[in-house]
Amino acid sequence: MSVTIIIGGQWGDEAKGKITDAISEHADMVIRPNGSTNAGHTVQIGDDVFKFHLVPAGILRPGCDCVIGAGVAIPPADLIQEIDELQARGIDTSRLYISDRANIIMPFHPLQDQLEEAQRGSHNIGTTLRGNGPAYADKAGRRGVRMADLLDESALVERLNLTIPEKNATLTTLYNQPPLDISELLEQFAAYGEKLAPRVIQAEVLVQDAIEAGKSIIVEGAQAAMLDIDYGTYPYVTSTSPTAAGVCQGAGIGPTQVTNVISVYKAYTTRVGGGPYPTELLDETGDLLRKRGVEYGTSTGRPRRTGWFDGVAARYTTRLNGVTHAAITKIDVLDTLAEIKICVGYELDGHTVRAPQAVADVYGRVKAIYETLPGWQEDTTTCTSYDEFPTNARRYIDRLEAVIGVPVVMLGVGPAREQLLWRKQVDFS
Ligand code: IMP
Protein backbone atom coordinates (compact mmCIF):
# COMPACT_ATOMS: atom_id res chain seq x y z
CA MET A 1 0.00 0.00 0.00
CA SER A 2 1.24 3.49 -0.72
CA VAL A 3 -0.02 7.02 -1.21
CA THR A 4 2.30 8.94 -3.52
CA ILE A 5 1.83 12.63 -4.18
CA ILE A 6 3.22 14.17 -7.36
CA ILE A 7 3.61 17.94 -7.38
CA GLY A 8 5.34 20.57 -9.47
CA GLY A 9 8.39 22.09 -7.76
CA GLN A 10 8.66 25.20 -9.98
CA TRP A 11 6.08 27.32 -11.85
CA GLY A 12 4.17 24.52 -13.55
CA ASP A 13 4.50 22.54 -16.78
CA GLU A 14 7.24 20.30 -15.35
CA ALA A 15 5.88 17.25 -17.25
CA LYS A 16 4.09 15.85 -14.20
CA GLY A 17 1.77 13.84 -16.48
CA LYS A 18 4.76 11.87 -17.70
CA ILE A 19 5.79 10.97 -14.15
CA THR A 20 2.22 10.03 -13.21
CA ASP A 21 1.99 7.87 -16.29
CA ALA A 22 5.24 6.10 -15.45
CA ILE A 23 4.45 5.26 -11.85
CA SER A 24 0.76 4.58 -12.42
CA GLU A 25 1.66 1.29 -14.11
CA HIS A 26 0.94 -0.51 -10.84
CA ALA A 27 -1.45 2.02 -9.28
CA ASP A 28 -5.00 1.16 -8.27
CA MET A 29 -6.14 4.77 -8.17
CA VAL A 30 -5.04 8.17 -9.50
CA ILE A 31 -6.61 11.31 -8.04
CA ARG A 32 -6.63 14.81 -9.52
CA PRO A 33 -6.93 17.03 -6.43
CA ASN A 34 -6.90 20.73 -7.47
CA GLY A 35 -7.07 23.29 -10.24
CA SER A 36 -9.31 23.37 -13.26
CA THR A 37 -8.82 23.43 -17.02
CA ASN A 38 -6.02 25.93 -16.38
CA ALA A 39 -3.86 22.78 -16.12
CA GLY A 40 -2.71 20.66 -19.01
CA HIS A 41 -0.87 17.36 -18.64
CA THR A 42 0.58 15.72 -21.73
CA VAL A 43 1.34 12.02 -22.09
CA GLN A 44 2.83 10.54 -25.26
CA ILE A 45 2.54 6.83 -25.99
CA GLY A 46 4.14 5.89 -29.30
CA ASP A 47 2.75 8.41 -31.78
CA ASP A 48 -0.36 9.04 -29.66
CA VAL A 49 -0.37 12.31 -27.74
CA PHE A 50 -2.94 12.76 -24.95
CA LYS A 51 -3.54 16.19 -23.47
CA PHE A 52 -5.40 16.07 -20.16
CA HIS A 53 -7.04 19.05 -18.49
CA LEU A 54 -9.33 17.57 -15.83
CA VAL A 55 -9.14 13.79 -16.20
CA PRO A 56 -6.20 12.15 -14.36
CA ALA A 57 -3.52 10.75 -16.69
CA GLY A 58 -4.06 7.36 -14.95
CA ILE A 59 -7.09 6.83 -17.21
CA LEU A 60 -4.62 5.43 -19.77
CA ARG A 61 -3.92 2.48 -17.44
CA PRO A 62 -6.64 -0.16 -17.71
CA GLY A 63 -8.09 -1.12 -14.33
CA CYS A 64 -6.95 2.07 -12.59
CA ASP A 65 -9.69 4.05 -10.80
CA CYS A 66 -9.50 7.77 -11.55
CA VAL A 67 -10.95 10.40 -9.26
CA ILE A 68 -11.54 14.12 -9.75
CA GLY A 69 -11.40 15.32 -6.16
CA ALA A 70 -13.32 17.90 -4.14
CA GLY A 71 -10.58 20.51 -4.62
CA VAL A 72 -11.03 20.70 -8.39
CA ALA A 73 -13.18 23.39 -10.04
CA ILE A 74 -15.01 21.84 -12.98
CA PRO A 75 -16.48 23.47 -16.08
CA PRO A 76 -18.93 20.63 -16.87
CA ALA A 77 -19.11 21.18 -20.65
CA ASP A 78 -15.30 20.93 -20.92
CA LEU A 79 -15.22 17.81 -18.77
CA ILE A 80 -17.92 16.14 -20.87
CA GLN A 81 -15.96 17.01 -24.01
CA GLU A 82 -12.71 15.62 -22.56
CA ILE A 83 -14.43 12.36 -21.61
CA ASP A 84 -16.12 12.07 -25.03
CA GLU A 85 -12.81 12.64 -26.81
CA LEU A 86 -11.06 9.97 -24.74
CA GLN A 87 -13.88 7.53 -25.43
CA ALA A 88 -13.72 8.31 -29.16
CA ARG A 89 -10.02 7.31 -29.00
CA GLY A 90 -10.94 3.96 -27.46
CA ILE A 91 -10.00 4.81 -23.85
CA ASP A 92 -12.23 3.18 -21.23
CA THR A 93 -13.55 5.97 -18.96
CA SER A 94 -15.96 3.83 -16.93
CA ARG A 95 -13.64 4.10 -13.91
CA LEU A 96 -13.65 7.87 -13.82
CA TYR A 97 -15.37 9.26 -10.70
CA ILE A 98 -16.14 12.85 -9.75
CA SER A 99 -16.44 14.24 -6.23
CA ASP A 100 -19.91 15.52 -5.45
CA ARG A 101 -18.18 18.31 -3.48
CA ALA A 102 -16.16 19.67 -6.45
CA ASN A 103 -17.09 23.25 -7.30
CA ILE A 104 -18.47 24.19 -10.70
CA ILE A 105 -17.00 26.79 -13.02
CA MET A 106 -20.04 28.66 -14.31
CA PRO A 107 -20.11 30.54 -17.64
CA PHE A 108 -19.68 33.87 -15.87
CA HIS A 109 -16.40 32.83 -14.24
CA PRO A 110 -14.25 32.98 -17.43
CA LEU A 111 -16.00 36.25 -18.29
CA GLN A 112 -15.23 37.65 -14.84
CA ASP A 113 -11.63 36.41 -15.19
CA GLN A 114 -11.27 38.37 -18.46
CA LEU A 115 -12.88 41.51 -17.08
CA GLU A 116 -10.75 41.45 -13.93
CA GLU A 117 -7.57 40.87 -15.94
CA ALA A 118 -8.44 43.79 -18.24
CA GLN A 119 -9.02 45.99 -15.20
CA ARG A 120 -5.58 45.09 -13.77
CA GLY A 121 -3.98 46.67 -16.86
CA SER A 122 -0.18 46.42 -16.81
CA HIS A 123 -0.36 44.57 -13.46
CA ASN A 124 -2.37 41.72 -14.93
CA ILE A 125 -1.58 38.24 -13.62
CA GLY A 126 -1.61 36.57 -17.02
CA THR A 127 -4.20 34.03 -15.92
CA THR A 128 -5.33 31.27 -18.23
CA LEU A 129 -8.70 33.11 -18.44
CA ARG A 130 -10.51 29.86 -17.61
CA GLY A 131 -12.39 31.39 -14.68
CA ASN A 132 -10.22 29.65 -12.12
CA GLY A 133 -9.71 32.63 -9.76
CA PRO A 134 -13.33 33.83 -9.74
CA ALA A 135 -14.60 30.25 -9.22
CA TYR A 136 -12.34 29.68 -6.20
CA ALA A 137 -13.24 33.14 -4.86
CA ASP A 138 -16.91 32.13 -4.98
CA LYS A 139 -16.06 28.81 -3.31
CA ALA A 140 -14.27 30.60 -0.45
CA GLY A 141 -17.08 33.19 -0.33
CA ARG A 142 -19.54 30.30 0.07
CA ARG A 143 -21.40 31.34 -3.07
CA GLY A 144 -20.28 28.35 -5.13
CA VAL A 145 -22.34 25.78 -6.99
CA ARG A 146 -21.09 22.23 -6.47
CA MET A 147 -21.34 19.03 -8.48
CA ALA A 148 -23.95 17.62 -6.06
CA ASP A 149 -26.18 20.65 -6.72
CA LEU A 150 -26.35 19.80 -10.43
CA LEU A 151 -28.03 16.50 -9.55
CA ASP A 152 -30.65 18.04 -7.31
CA GLU A 153 -32.96 20.54 -8.99
CA SER A 154 -34.17 22.25 -5.84
CA ALA A 155 -30.59 22.63 -4.56
CA LEU A 156 -29.53 24.07 -7.92
CA VAL A 157 -32.44 26.53 -7.94
CA GLU A 158 -31.50 27.62 -4.43
CA ARG A 159 -27.80 28.05 -5.25
CA LEU A 160 -28.50 30.00 -8.45
CA ASN A 161 -31.05 32.23 -6.74
CA LEU A 162 -28.45 33.02 -4.13
CA THR A 163 -25.56 33.63 -6.52
CA ILE A 164 -26.92 35.11 -9.73
CA PRO A 165 -28.55 38.31 -8.43
CA GLU A 166 -25.23 39.24 -6.82
CA LYS A 167 -23.31 38.36 -10.02
CA ASN A 168 -25.76 40.33 -12.10
CA ALA A 169 -25.31 43.38 -9.90
CA THR A 170 -21.52 43.19 -10.46
CA LEU A 171 -21.76 42.45 -14.17
CA THR A 172 -24.26 45.18 -14.98
CA THR A 173 -23.06 47.98 -12.74
CA LEU A 174 -19.29 47.41 -12.64
CA TYR A 175 -18.61 45.91 -16.05
CA ASN A 176 -21.54 47.12 -18.15
CA GLN A 177 -22.40 43.55 -19.19
CA PRO A 178 -25.86 42.04 -19.79
CA PRO A 179 -27.42 40.15 -16.82
CA LEU A 180 -27.47 36.35 -16.65
CA ASP A 181 -30.72 34.45 -17.00
CA ILE A 182 -31.32 32.04 -14.08
CA SER A 183 -33.75 29.78 -15.94
CA GLU A 184 -31.32 29.34 -18.87
CA LEU A 185 -28.50 28.44 -16.49
CA LEU A 186 -30.79 26.07 -14.63
CA GLU A 187 -31.73 24.16 -17.76
CA GLN A 188 -28.16 24.02 -19.07
CA PHE A 189 -26.53 22.90 -15.82
CA ALA A 190 -29.23 20.37 -14.90
CA ALA A 191 -28.53 18.76 -18.31
CA TYR A 192 -24.80 18.58 -17.53
CA GLY A 193 -25.66 17.06 -14.16
CA GLU A 194 -27.77 14.37 -15.81
CA LYS A 195 -24.94 13.47 -18.18
CA LEU A 196 -22.29 13.29 -15.44
CA ALA A 197 -24.54 11.79 -12.72
CA PRO A 198 -23.36 8.14 -13.03
CA ARG A 199 -19.82 9.26 -12.16
CA VAL A 200 -20.64 11.63 -9.30
CA ILE A 201 -19.93 10.01 -5.94
CA GLN A 202 -18.73 10.74 -2.42
CA ALA A 203 -15.17 10.52 -3.69
CA GLU A 204 -13.47 10.97 -0.33
CA VAL A 205 -15.24 7.80 0.87
CA LEU A 206 -13.97 5.85 -2.16
CA VAL A 207 -10.46 7.23 -1.53
CA GLN A 208 -10.50 6.34 2.18
CA ASP A 209 -11.85 2.84 1.38
CA ALA A 210 -8.96 2.39 -1.06
CA ILE A 211 -6.45 3.46 1.61
CA GLU A 212 -8.02 1.09 4.15
CA ALA A 213 -7.88 -1.73 1.61
CA GLY A 214 -4.12 -1.15 1.20
CA LYS A 215 -4.34 0.02 -2.40
CA SER A 216 -1.68 1.89 -4.29
CA ILE A 217 -2.75 5.50 -4.83
CA ILE A 218 -1.27 8.44 -6.73
CA VAL A 219 -2.31 12.05 -6.25
CA GLU A 220 -1.53 13.97 -9.43
CA GLY A 221 -1.17 17.63 -8.48
CA ALA A 222 -1.82 20.37 -11.01
CA GLN A 223 0.12 23.67 -11.28
CA ALA A 224 3.10 23.94 -8.94
CA ALA A 225 4.40 25.11 -5.58
CA MET A 226 5.74 28.46 -6.85
CA LEU A 227 2.18 29.22 -8.04
CA ASP A 228 0.74 28.44 -4.60
CA ILE A 229 -1.68 31.05 -3.27
CA ASP A 230 0.25 31.34 0.03
CA TYR A 231 3.87 30.49 -0.76
CA GLY A 232 4.10 31.34 -4.47
CA THR A 233 4.87 34.67 -6.09
CA TYR A 234 1.63 36.32 -4.88
CA PRO A 235 -0.38 37.84 -6.50
CA TYR A 236 1.08 36.18 -9.65
CA VAL A 237 -0.19 32.78 -8.55
CA THR A 238 -3.10 30.44 -9.09
CA SER A 239 -6.03 30.38 -6.67
CA THR A 240 -5.41 26.99 -5.04
CA SER A 241 -2.69 25.34 -2.96
CA PRO A 242 -0.75 23.06 -5.31
CA THR A 243 1.51 22.06 -2.41
CA ALA A 244 1.67 18.55 -0.95
CA ALA A 245 -0.53 19.71 1.94
CA GLY A 246 -2.98 21.44 -0.41
CA VAL A 247 -3.40 18.44 -2.66
CA CYS A 248 -4.05 16.20 0.36
CA GLN A 249 -7.01 18.44 1.14
CA GLY A 250 -8.30 18.36 -2.42
CA ALA A 251 -7.97 14.59 -2.64
CA GLY A 252 -9.54 13.78 0.75
CA ILE A 253 -6.35 12.33 2.26
CA GLY A 254 -4.82 13.06 5.67
CA PRO A 255 -1.13 14.04 6.01
CA THR A 256 -0.25 10.90 7.99
CA GLN A 257 -1.57 8.72 5.16
CA VAL A 258 1.03 9.94 2.67
CA THR A 259 3.97 7.64 1.90
CA ASN A 260 5.96 9.61 -0.71
CA VAL A 261 6.03 13.12 -2.13
CA ILE A 262 7.63 13.31 -5.56
CA SER A 263 8.43 16.80 -6.77
CA VAL A 264 8.97 17.28 -10.48
CA TYR A 265 11.41 19.90 -11.79
CA LYS A 266 12.44 20.73 -15.30
CA ALA A 267 16.21 20.74 -15.91
CA TYR A 268 15.71 24.49 -16.43
CA THR A 269 12.69 26.67 -15.59
CA THR A 270 9.67 28.12 -17.36
CA ARG A 271 6.72 30.19 -16.30
CA VAL A 272 3.63 31.53 -18.03
CA GLY A 273 1.95 34.80 -17.21
CA GLY A 274 3.36 37.72 -15.23
CA GLY A 275 5.39 37.88 -12.06
CA PRO A 276 8.99 37.93 -10.86
CA TYR A 277 11.37 35.35 -12.27
CA PRO A 278 15.01 35.75 -11.12
CA THR A 279 16.60 33.31 -13.58
CA GLU A 280 14.67 34.43 -16.66
CA LEU A 281 16.63 34.43 -19.92
CA LEU A 282 15.61 37.16 -22.32
CA ASP A 283 18.28 36.27 -24.86
CA GLU A 284 19.08 33.68 -27.53
CA THR A 285 19.59 30.95 -24.94
CA GLY A 286 16.05 31.62 -23.66
CA ASP A 287 14.74 31.36 -27.22
CA LEU A 288 16.65 28.14 -27.73
CA LEU A 289 15.14 26.59 -24.58
CA ARG A 290 11.65 27.64 -25.74
CA LYS A 291 12.21 26.17 -29.19
CA ARG A 292 13.90 22.92 -28.14
CA GLY A 293 11.55 22.45 -25.19
CA VAL A 294 8.43 23.31 -27.23
CA GLU A 295 7.53 25.69 -24.44
CA TYR A 296 4.01 26.73 -25.36
CA GLY A 297 1.06 26.33 -22.95
CA THR A 298 -0.92 23.06 -23.19
CA SER A 299 -4.12 24.87 -22.26
CA THR A 300 -3.57 28.29 -23.81
CA GLY A 301 -0.84 27.90 -26.46
CA ARG A 302 0.97 30.93 -24.97
CA PRO A 303 4.79 31.02 -25.33
CA ARG A 304 6.34 30.31 -21.94
CA ARG A 305 9.06 32.44 -20.35
CA THR A 306 12.28 30.45 -19.97
CA GLY A 307 15.28 30.54 -17.64
CA TRP A 308 18.06 28.65 -15.88
CA PHE A 309 17.35 26.18 -13.08
CA ASP A 310 16.58 28.11 -9.89
CA GLY A 311 18.14 26.14 -7.06
CA VAL A 312 16.95 28.55 -4.37
CA ALA A 313 13.29 28.29 -5.41
CA ALA A 314 13.67 24.51 -5.86
CA ARG A 315 15.15 24.03 -2.38
CA TYR A 316 12.42 26.28 -0.93
CA THR A 317 9.59 24.23 -2.46
CA THR A 318 11.30 20.93 -1.62
CA ARG A 319 11.36 21.82 2.07
CA LEU A 320 7.87 23.31 2.18
CA ASN A 321 6.40 20.19 0.64
CA GLY A 322 8.29 17.58 2.63
CA VAL A 323 9.50 16.16 -0.66
CA THR A 324 10.96 12.64 -0.49
CA HIS A 325 12.02 12.15 -4.13
CA ALA A 326 12.76 14.38 -7.11
CA ALA A 327 12.25 13.82 -10.82
CA ILE A 328 14.10 15.97 -13.36
CA THR A 329 12.49 16.23 -16.78
CA LYS A 330 13.41 17.60 -20.21
CA ILE A 331 17.16 17.14 -19.71
CA ASP A 332 17.52 16.61 -23.47
CA VAL A 333 16.49 20.25 -24.07
CA LEU A 334 19.95 21.24 -22.74
CA ASP A 335 21.81 18.77 -25.01
CA THR A 336 23.29 21.39 -27.37
CA LEU A 337 24.52 23.93 -24.81
CA ALA A 338 28.25 24.47 -24.24
CA GLU A 339 27.67 25.83 -20.72
CA ILE A 340 24.78 25.55 -18.29
CA LYS A 341 24.06 27.73 -15.30
CA ILE A 342 22.40 26.86 -12.01
CA CYS A 343 21.17 29.57 -9.66
CA VAL A 344 22.65 28.69 -6.26
CA GLY A 345 21.90 31.90 -4.35
CA TYR A 346 19.94 35.14 -4.31
CA GLU A 347 21.28 38.61 -3.73
CA LEU A 348 18.93 41.40 -2.69
CA ASP A 349 20.25 44.97 -2.38
CA GLY A 350 23.76 43.71 -1.63
CA HIS A 351 22.68 41.02 0.85
CA THR A 352 22.16 37.31 0.48
CA VAL A 353 18.60 36.05 0.97
CA ARG A 354 17.70 32.39 1.42
CA ALA A 355 14.26 32.23 -0.14
CA PRO A 356 11.75 33.81 -2.55
CA GLN A 357 10.45 37.10 -1.13
CA ALA A 358 6.84 37.80 -0.13
CA VAL A 359 6.46 41.11 -2.00
CA ALA A 360 6.49 40.58 -5.78
CA ASP A 361 8.38 43.81 -6.55
CA VAL A 362 11.04 42.98 -3.95
CA TYR A 363 11.40 39.46 -5.35
CA GLY A 364 11.68 41.09 -8.78
CA ARG A 365 14.81 42.93 -7.55
CA VAL A 366 16.55 39.71 -6.50
CA LYS A 367 19.65 38.89 -8.54
CA ALA A 368 20.48 35.27 -9.20
CA ILE A 369 23.95 34.05 -8.20
CA TYR A 370 25.06 31.43 -10.69
CA GLU A 371 27.37 28.50 -10.84
CA THR A 372 28.44 27.52 -14.38
CA LEU A 373 28.85 23.90 -15.42
CA PRO A 374 30.14 22.53 -18.71
CA GLY A 375 27.48 21.20 -21.09
CA TRP A 376 27.66 17.69 -22.58
CA GLN A 377 26.76 18.47 -26.21
CA GLU A 378 25.62 14.93 -26.84
CA ASP A 379 22.22 13.44 -27.57
CA THR A 380 20.56 12.10 -24.42
CA THR A 381 17.22 11.26 -26.06
CA THR A 382 18.36 7.74 -26.99
CA CYS A 383 19.86 6.88 -23.58
CA THR A 384 18.10 3.81 -22.24
CA SER A 385 19.76 3.82 -18.82
CA TYR A 386 21.48 6.28 -16.54
CA ASP A 387 24.79 4.50 -17.19
CA GLU A 388 24.62 5.72 -20.78
CA PHE A 389 24.39 9.35 -19.71
CA PRO A 390 27.27 11.64 -20.79
CA THR A 391 29.64 12.37 -17.90
CA ASN A 392 28.83 16.10 -17.84
CA ALA A 393 25.10 15.38 -17.83
CA ARG A 394 25.63 13.19 -14.77
CA ARG A 395 27.64 15.97 -13.13
CA TYR A 396 24.78 18.36 -13.81
CA ILE A 397 22.21 15.99 -12.27
CA ASP A 398 24.49 15.33 -9.27
CA ARG A 399 24.76 19.07 -8.70
CA LEU A 400 20.99 19.56 -9.01
CA GLU A 401 20.47 16.79 -6.48
CA ALA A 402 22.82 18.50 -4.01
CA VAL A 403 21.05 21.84 -4.52
CA ILE A 404 17.52 20.42 -4.25
CA GLY A 405 18.45 18.30 -1.24
CA VAL A 406 16.55 15.05 -1.93
CA PRO A 407 17.38 12.03 -4.13
CA VAL A 408 16.79 12.52 -7.84
CA VAL A 409 15.27 9.22 -8.86
CA MET A 410 13.79 9.74 -12.33
CA LEU A 411 15.02 11.56 -15.41
CA GLY A 412 13.08 12.61 -18.50
CA VAL A 413 14.95 12.73 -21.82
CA GLY A 414 12.07 13.22 -24.27
CA PRO A 415 8.30 13.21 -24.56
CA ALA A 416 7.77 9.48 -25.19
CA ARG A 417 6.74 7.08 -22.44
CA GLU A 418 10.00 5.12 -22.78
CA GLN A 419 12.14 8.29 -22.55
CA LEU A 420 12.05 8.16 -18.76
CA LEU A 421 15.02 6.64 -16.96
CA TRP A 422 15.46 5.53 -13.40
CA ARG A 423 18.53 6.99 -11.76
CA LYS A 424 17.73 5.25 -8.51
CA GLN A 425 15.04 2.56 -8.70
CA VAL A 426 12.21 3.10 -6.19
CA ASP A 427 9.10 0.98 -5.75
CA PHE A 428 6.19 3.42 -5.46
CA SER A 429 3.50 0.70 -5.64
P1 IMP B 1 -5.03 30.94 -13.26
O1 IMP B 1 -4.73 29.67 -12.55
O2 IMP B 1 -5.66 30.72 -14.61
O3 IMP B 1 -5.82 31.90 -12.42
O4 IMP B 1 -3.65 31.69 -13.57
C1 IMP B 1 -2.83 32.22 -12.54
C2 IMP B 1 -1.36 32.02 -12.86
O5 IMP B 1 -1.05 30.64 -12.79
C3 IMP B 1 -0.96 32.50 -14.26
O6 IMP B 1 0.37 32.98 -14.23
C4 IMP B 1 -1.00 31.22 -15.08
O7 IMP B 1 -0.19 31.27 -16.22
C5 IMP B 1 -0.49 30.21 -14.05
N1 IMP B 1 -0.95 28.84 -14.31
C6 IMP B 1 -2.17 28.32 -14.08
N2 IMP B 1 -2.20 27.03 -14.43
C7 IMP B 1 -0.99 26.73 -14.88
C8 IMP B 1 -0.39 25.51 -15.36
O8 IMP B 1 -1.01 24.45 -15.43
N3 IMP B 1 0.91 25.61 -15.73
C9 IMP B 1 1.63 26.76 -15.64
N4 IMP B 1 1.12 27.90 -15.19
C10 IMP B 1 -0.17 27.88 -14.81
Side-chain angles (χ1 to χ4, degrees):
M1 170 260 154
S2 71
V3 175
T4 300
I5 288 176
I6 299 172
I7 55 155
Q10 297 163 325
W11 281 275
D13 310 310
E14 298 92 351
K16 295 180 285 292
K18 188 181 172 67
I19 304 299
T20 309
D21 177 59
I23 68 164
S24 64
E25 193 177 351
H26 305 292
D28 300 303
M29 179 182 279
V30 179
I31 310 167
R32 167 74 192 276
N34 68 308
S36 66
T37 47
N38 52 353
H41 291 175
T42 307
V43 178
Q44 185 176 333
I45 303 170
D47 289 334
D48 283 335
V49 177
F50 294 89
K51 289 185 190 291
F52 296 101
H53 297 286
L54 291 159
V55 176
I59 204 78
L60 299 176
R61 299 287 187 186
C64 181
D65 284 344
C66 285
V67 175
I68 298 178
V72 179
I74 301 174
D78 292 353
L79 176 57
I80 291 167
Q81 189 186 343
E82 194 171 331
I83 295 169
D84 288 349
E85 281 173 10
L86 284 167
Q87 281 171 346
R89 293 177 73 178
I91 306 298
D92 175 16
T93 64
S94 62
R95 287 166 167 262
L96 174 68
Y97 303 101
I98 306 163
S99 168
D100 57 359
R101 294 171 188 268
N103 271 250
I104 300 297
I105 295 197
M106 302 295 284
F108 47 83
H109 287 134
L111 175 65
Q112 205 181 330
D113 206 352
Q114 281 167 32
L115 297 169
E116 286 175 3
E117 277 286 83
Q119 209 171 46
R120 288 183 192 115
S122 63
H123 286 91
N124 73 345
I125 294 165
T127 74
T128 57
L129 302 178
R130 301 298 160 104
N132 192 55
Y136 282 106
D138 280 347
K139 171 181 171 175
R142 293 152 292 183
R143 295 180 293 270
V145 175
R146 306 205 294 181
M147 196 45 90
D149 302 323
L150 303 193
L151 313 189
D152 179 329
E153 198 181 327
S154 61
L156 186 56
V157 170
E158 193 190 308
R159 297 308 296 164
L160 292 178
N161 279 331
L162 185 92
T163 315
I164 302 303
E166 196 185 313
K167 284 285 161 201
N168 280 343
T170 312
L171 286 173
T172 53
T173 54
L174 209 63
Y175 295 114
N176 208 17
Q177 294 288 316
L180 303 156
D181 184 298
I182 295 188
S183 51
E184 257 176 44
L185 288 174
L186 182 63
E187 197 182 326
Q188 192 184 12
F189 280 78
Y192 294 145
E194 209 177 304
K195 179 114 202 220
L196 292 170
R199 304 176 186 278
V200 178
I201 58 161
Q202 289 190 293
E204 69 280 18
V205 176
L206 184 78
V207 170
Q208 286 301 323
D209 285 348
I211 292 175
E212 256 172 38
K215 301 228 169 131
S216 168
I217 298 168
I218 296 172
V219 184
E220 181 188 12
Q223 286 86 41
M226 287 300 289
L227 290 172
D228 179 73
I229 185 111
D230 294 309
Y231 299 104
T233 45
Y234 192 89
Y236 301 95
V237 292
T238 193
S239 297
T240 57
S241 287
T243 52
V247 304
C248 275
Q249 172 74 4
I253 291 174
T256 54
Q257 294 173 320
V258 176
T259 326
N260 306 292
V261 179
I262 304 175
S263 188
V264 187
Y265 312 84
K266 261 180 220 184
Y268 48 100
T269 53
T270 60
R271 85 171 288 179
V272 245
Y277 184 4
T279 63
E280 183 165 21
L281 285 165
L282 297 166
D283 58 7
E284 281 170 9
T285 309
D287 292 340
L288 183 110
L289 294 179
R290 187 173 308 105
K291 199 162 161 227
R292 285 186 55 83
V294 197
E295 296 296 357
Y296 298 89
T298 312
S299 284
T300 60
R302 286 184 293 176
R304 295 178 185 142
R305 298 160 71 191
T306 50
W308 294 122
F309 189 90
D310 185 335
V312 180
R315 178 83 185 124
Y316 178 72
T317 62
T318 302
R319 282 168 21 124
L320 272 178
N321 289 289
V323 172
T324 57
H325 304 86
I328 309 275
T329 58
K330 301 188 90 163
I331 294 159
D332 55 298
V333 173
L334 306 179
D335 280 354
T336 59
L337 295 175
E339 284 187 335
I340 302 170
K341 291 187 180 181
I342 302 175
C343 166
V344 291
Y346 283 167
E347 191 189 297
L348 175 65
D349 304 335
H351 301 282
T352 302
V353 289
R354 291 182 63 203
Q357 302 293 295
V359 177
D361 282 351
V362 175
Y363 191 33
R365 289 211 309 276
V366 157
K367 288 195 179 58
I369 302 166
Y370 289 112
E371 213 172 84
T372 304
L373 276 76
W376 44 93
Q377 298 189 293
E378 278 179 59
D379 181 17
T380 55
T381 59
T382 51
C383 290
T384 53
S385 75
Y386 188 57
D387 294 341
E388 292 172 24
F389 248 48
T391 309
N392 283 350
R394 281 199 238 175
R395 279 196 193 132
Y396 183 66
I397 301 300
D398 288 348
R399 189 64 190 124
L400 292 190
E401 182 175 68
V403 167
I404 295 169
V406 294
V408 171
V409 295
M410 278 179 273
L411 303 171
V413 291
R417 188 179 249 178
E418 55 281 4
Q419 287 175 308
L420 189 81
L421 315 177
W422 285 94
R423 179 164 174 263
K424 297 175 184 174
Q425 192 76 40
V426 181
D427 182 6
F428 289 109
S429 61

